[in-house]
Amino acid sequence: MSVLHSALTQTIGVTLLRVVVGIIFVLHGVQKTFEQTFPGVQAFFESLGIPLAAVAAPAVSLLELVGGILLIVGALTRIVALLFTINMIVAIAVFHASMGFWVDAGGYEFVLLLGAGALAIALIGPGRFSVDELVFGARRRAAVSAQEPVSV
C-alpha cells in the first residue's frame, strides 16, 4: 500500500479537516455569543426575515460554539457536521447568495467551503483520532468481527 493511500494518512487528513473546520466554527460561535451577543444576532436575523429569530440566534450561536468544540474533539461528529451543513445552506440562501461568490463582497465563497467541509465530515465520519472512535469504535469493531464467517 502506498504511503499516500494508507489508513493513517486518511485518518490524519480527516482529523485535520475536522479540527480546522471546528476551530473556525468555535471562533464564529465566540463572536456571535460574546461580541455580537444573542440580542445583536437576533436583530440581524430579524433584519433578514428569519422566522423565530429570538430562538434561532442563540441556537445558531451555541451550535457554532459548542458544536465547534465537539467537532474538534470528534464527539457526535456526524450529527454536528450535518447541523453545520444545514446552517451553511441556510446562511447561503438567506444572506450570502445575493452578494455573489466572492467572500470580500460578503458572498458565499467561504460559507460554501465550510458547508462542503462539514458535509464531507458528516459523510466520512470522525476518523480514528476522535472521541466517537474511542467510545463507539471498539463496539463497532466487535460487532463487525462477530458477523465475520468462521473459518473451518
Side-chain angles (χ1 to χ4, degrees):
M1 179 181 287
S2 167
V3 173
L4 294 177
H5 297 291
S6 73
L8 178 60
T9 57
Q10 289 176 6
T11 295
I12 291 169
V14 73
T15 301
L16 179 64
L17 177 63
R18 194 188 75 233
V19 169
V20 170
V21 169
I23 289 169
I24 292 168
F25 275 113
V26 165
L27 294 174
H28 280 263
V30 165
Q31 182 183 45
K32 283 181 179 71
T33 303
F34 301 110
E35 294 174 22
Q36 297 170 340
T37 71
F38 296 157
V41 176
Q42 178 183 339
F44 176 65
F45 283 6
E46 286 171 348
S47 77
L48 297 175
I50 294 176
L52 298 171
V55 174
V60 168
S61 301
L62 293 174
L63 169 64
E64 292 181 359
L65 178 62
V66 176
I69 293 167
L70 290 171
L71 208 59
I72 291 168
V73 299
L76 304 173
T77 305
R78 289 181 191 263
I79 295 166
V80 170
L82 186 58
L83 290 172
F84 281 147
T85 303
I86 294 166
N87 184 26
M88 295 299 95
I89 290 169
V90 171
I92 290 169
V94 172
F95 182 71
H96 295 280
S98 65
M99 298 183 183
F101 179 75
W102 304 110
V103 69
D104 63 344
Y108 60 89
E109 174 184 17
F110 182 61
V111 180
L112 179 64
L113 182 60
L114 282 177
L119 181 58
I121 295 164
L123 295 171
I124 296 167
R128 288 188 308 194
F129 305 135
S130 66
V131 170
D132 287 341
E133 180 64 20
L134 185 65
V135 172
F136 302 112
R139 194 177 333 172
R140 186 185 68 249
R141 285 188 298 275
V144 168
S145 66
Q147 293 175 355
E148 291 177 2
V150 177
S151 60
V152 179

